[in-house]
Amino acid sequence: MSEADDEAVAAYLLDLMIAARRVAANRGFSFLAYLVGVAAEESRLLTLGRSASQKGRDGKY
């Protein structure tokens, strides 16, 4: 797969996670919605070449 294909897949999966978060929130599963939101944010950061799990370990973001 090309880099453009990888980016398209990443964007699609991020959209799916955001939709799943909204469904969970609308159905009253607030903690699940929070967890899916955390996963979506980590996915977004990974597409930018960063990770929330790396913050603070080496002083870089």
Side-chain angles (χ1 to χ4, degrees):
M1 286 174 51
S2 71
E3 188 174 322
D5 291 339
D6 290 344
E7 289 177 11
V9 169
Y12 176 72
L13 292 174
L14 180 58
D15 287 343
L16 282 178
M17 280 195 277
I18 291 168
R21 182 187 176 284
R22 286 183 186 139
V23 168
N26 288 339
R27 295 199 178 178
F29 298 108
S30 57
F31 187 67
L32 178 59
Y34 166 76
L35 291 177
V36 173
V38 169
E41 178 62 13
E42 182 65 15
S43 288
R44 188 187 68 77
L45 289 173
L46 288 172
T47 63
L48 300 172
R50 301 184 338 219
S51 174
S53 65
Q54 298 298 319
K55 286 183 180 179
R57 286 188 185 173
D58 57 3
K60 297 179 183 176
Y61 290 92

